[in-house]
Amino acid sequence: MTKVSIIGLGYVGLPLFLAATKNKELNVVGIEINKEKVEKIKNKICPIDDELAKKELKELDIKVSSNTDEIKDSDIIVVCVPTPVDEERTPDFSYLKSAAKAIVPHMKKGQLIIFESTVNPGVCEEVILPILEESNLKRGVDFDLAHCPERIDPGNSKYNVYNIARNVGSTSLEGTRKAAKFYKSFLDVEVNEMSSLKTAEATKIVENTFRDINIAYVNELAKCFDVLDIDILEVIKGASNKPFAFMPHYPSCGVGGHCIPVDPYYLIEKAKNAGFDHKFLRMAREVNNSMPEYTITKLAFALNEIQKTIKGTKIGILGLSYKANVGDLRESPALEIVKQLEKLGAIILKNDPYVKSDSIDEILKECDALILATNHREYEKIEDWKNIKVIVDGKNYLDSNKIKEKGILYRGIGRN
Ligand code: SAJ
């Protein structure tokens, strides 16, 4: 029986752990340092916003522990830990390093170690392998390190670990083949065997920087169309009926999450250290990071039309998490908007159905203005806006005509 340890049971590791557990030829143990999370999982309480994981957790017999000694005798070890950036937006490899250090005492010949965490090209070779070789085992000879970048899209009910193709590269051809065979033993997906660790690392970074620059493009367009008085949503809808060579993205009050606003900094940093200035990626980050302030400026101009200032006005924030229908606050633009409004002296009430917060009703009754910062499905149903006189729709989510018919000042992102 192949023993598999999966380290890190978050939005990436838990779905993978549950999927692998279904393969009875694998003896799978989930290892999570957060003891509270382990207790939750043991009691079949799913710690992530993932309907499929919730269902599988109830159905499956699982082995989980917070003790890294459980790694002992593993033939395959998969690491799914976060790779955030720090305050200066430089990559923080601390989780990767501690996972690698926890593995070293349990390394043995013939082992396959797979890292799924998103890293920039070169991190596996320059950061992870030196730690693993403290075991005195040789990469590509005694053990293999593979990189199979995760591609989970939290909250996406259509695409999940069972139907997203994978890319994998390793320290040897044999290692790549073993990794591909492992994933195919419990996932019916294409596993693209790549020529090296670096190409696999680069693939994931390219996927996410592609998304960031495209979002930056429409965010800059939104600012331009404000000046030209063109409704950007109508233009994107029009461009989207082109059956090829156009891929719609949508302007918003900002780009949040643990991936899209973070991953570009990995490549920018790596390129800079190699003497290349990734101007375009930096510019895209600047545009996306400017959207919270742009959103507040729209609010200020709208309040001005009703002889109000931000200072001293009660302003509601609908949505705190970084994207619709999940409760994840990481890098959320809503938090940046709150921070800037507080500095400007606004009196703020906040609602998010997934986070302990003020009620929607209280905001509608108490506030003069609101910013919709996350397009949670709960906000679609609002009909009676009560005391609200100004709405800034940070996700272009609401029906602007219905709102304007009620005599409310509506401002969108690249639309009015
Ligand atoms: N956003 C926009 N405009 C858009 C799309 C997104 O402003 O047109 C904003 C969202 O509101 C959010 C942020 O960008 O704040 C990130 O959105 P996202 O949909 O990319 O959400 P993530 O980061 O949870 O998921 C992404 C994956 N998303 C998709 O491919 C749809 C994918 O890029 C990665 O698989 C995943 O991150 C990851 O883990 O790398």
Side-chain angles (χ1 to χ4, degrees):
M1 193 109 148
T2 305
K3 180 173 176 185
V4 180
S5 295
I6 296 181
I7 302 173
L9 300 181
Y11 78 91
V12 173
L14 184 58
L16 185 79
F17 164 69
L18 293 166
T21 299
K22 286 181 181 173
N23 178 346
K24 295 305 165 209
E25 280 156 35
L26 300 175
N27 166 20
V28 186
V29 59
I31 295 162
E32 166 56 57
I33 48 161
N34 180 318
K35 289 188 167 56
E36 199 188 308
K37 202 184 268 191
V38 169
E39 281 318 300
K40 273 187 171 177
I41 293 170
K42 277 181 176 167
N43 295 314
K44 307 283 182 182
I45 300 163
C46 190
I48 58 172
D49 281 329
D50 180 322
E51 291 313 312
L52 184 55
K54 281 183 186 130
K55 178 171 165 292
E56 292 182 334
L57 190 52
K58 288 201 173 19
E59 291 163 356
L60 293 168
D61 287 334
I62 54 169
K63 273 197 296 296
V64 289
S65 168
S66 57
N67 181 350
T68 52
D69 289 345
E70 289 293 335
I71 298 171
K72 192 168 174 314
D73 300 331
S74 293
D75 303 295
I76 298 174
I77 302 167
V78 189
V79 178
C80 305
V81 296
T83 47
V85 285
D86 60 24
E87 286 302 304
E88 288 71 55
R89 294 191 164 123
T90 43
D92 168 4
F93 300 135
S94 55
Y95 297 95
L96 287 182
K97 289 178 180 172
S98 28
K101 287 187 179 110
I103 291 170
V104 170
H106 306 294
M107 284 179 69
K108 62 177 186 171
K109 286 199 176 206
Q111 217 166 32
L112 172 63
I113 300 163
I114 304 171
F115 273 68
E116 289 212 353
S117 311
T118 304
V119 289
N120 58 357
V123 168
C124 285
E125 278 163 82
E126 295 152 21
V127 176
I128 298 171
L129 278 168
I131 296 172
L132 295 180
E133 288 187 322
E134 285 166 11
S135 62
N136 296 321
L137 294 174
K138 192 100 190 66
R139 69 182 77 178
V141 179
D142 301 322
F143 73 95
D144 274 304
L145 172 66
H147 180 56
C148 184
E150 60 89 4
R151 279 178 156 173
I152 295 291
D153 181 18
N156 189 324
S157 53
K158 185 174 173 203
Y159 294 111
N160 55 50
V161 70
Y162 292 101
N163 58 19
I164 298 173
R166 307 300 296 265
N167 294 301
V168 62
S170 170
T171 36
S172 77
L173 214 51
E174 178 52 31
T176 304
R177 287 206 185 108
K178 263 168 84 173
K181 187 165 172 270
F182 162 65
Y183 283 103
K184 283 180 185 161
S185 73
F186 61 97
L187 297 174
D188 181 17
V189 294
E190 179 211 338
V191 181
N192 171 33
E193 299 178 25
M194 303 189 87
S195 62
S196 68
L197 286 166
K198 260 184 180 178
T199 41
E201 291 167 325
T203 306
K204 171 70 187 207
I205 293 289
V206 164
E207 288 165 21
N208 283 3
T209 47
F210 170 84
R211 192 158 171 75
D212 196 48
I213 56 180
N214 277 282
I215 297 167
Y217 167 54
V218 290
N219 280 336
E220 184 170 81
L221 266 186
K223 294 181 180 178
C224 168
F225 284 8
D226 262 354
V227 175
L228 302 179
D229 195 19
I230 296 171
D231 182 330
I232 190 165
L233 224 47
E234 201 181 339
V235 171
I236 292 170
K237 185 165 176 281
S240 300
N241 65 22
K242 180 177 178 185
F244 54 86
F246 181 79
M247 186 176 183
H249 287 76
Y250 301 92
S252 81
C253 59
V255 174
H258 36 276
C259 312
I260 308 306
V262 168
D263 295 354
Y265 292 112
Y266 275 94
L267 186 52
I268 291 165
E269 176 82 4
K270 179 70 188 175
K272 189 179 78 181
N273 295 342
F276 179 79
D277 175 18
H278 235 310
K279 282 192 286 295
F280 188 39
L281 293 192
R282 283 192 296 107
M283 181 62 79
R285 285 280 73 238
E286 273 173 43
V287 170
N288 287 337
N289 286 338
S290 76
M291 297 313 283
E293 188 174 350
Y294 157 79
T295 304
I296 290 171
T297 306
K298 296 216 72 173
L299 173 69
F301 274 72
L303 285 173
N304 190 50
E305 289 189 36
I306 56 170
Q307 291 78 41
K308 281 188 173 293
T309 58
I310 285 179
K311 188 168 186 163
T313 297
K314 280 193 175 178
I315 295 167
I317 305 292
L318 293 187
L320 295 172
S321 61
Y322 80 90
K323 78 173 185 180
N325 313 321
V326 292
D328 191 333
L329 300 176
R330 282 175 288 185
E331 305 285 325
S332 173
L335 303 183
E336 179 59 26
I337 288 171
V338 167
K339 206 164 84 181
Q340 291 187 26
L341 283 175
E342 279 168 346
K343 271 194 203 141
L344 291 167
I347 302 156
I348 300 171
L349 279 77
K350 300 171 263 190
N351 171 268
D352 190 298
Y354 299 83
V355 179
K356 193 172 173 334
S357 53
D358 302 318
S359 76
I360 297 174
D361 210 40
E362 193 181 354
I363 287 177
L364 300 181
K365 276 188 195 137
E366 295 289 318
C367 296
D368 295 300
L370 68 81
I371 293 177
L372 184 139
T374 315
N375 45 324
H376 290 313
R377 61 173 74 86
E378 287 79 358
Y379 302 140
E380 199 176 359
K381 303 168 207 139
I382 301 174
E383 291 285 340
D384 178 3
W385 295 95
K386 299 190 169 62
N387 183 47
I388 299 294
K389 303 168 191 67
V390 171
I391 293 178
V392 176
D393 185 356
K395 292 288 179 189
N396 292 335
Y397 181 60
L398 302 168
D399 182 331
S400 58
N401 293 327
K402 262 196 192 160
I403 288 168
K404 288 173 185 171
E405 279 159 17
K406 295 173 188 279
I408 298 170
L409 255 175
Y410 175 92
R411 295 287 178 273
I413 306 296
R415 62 194 310 243
N416 289 319

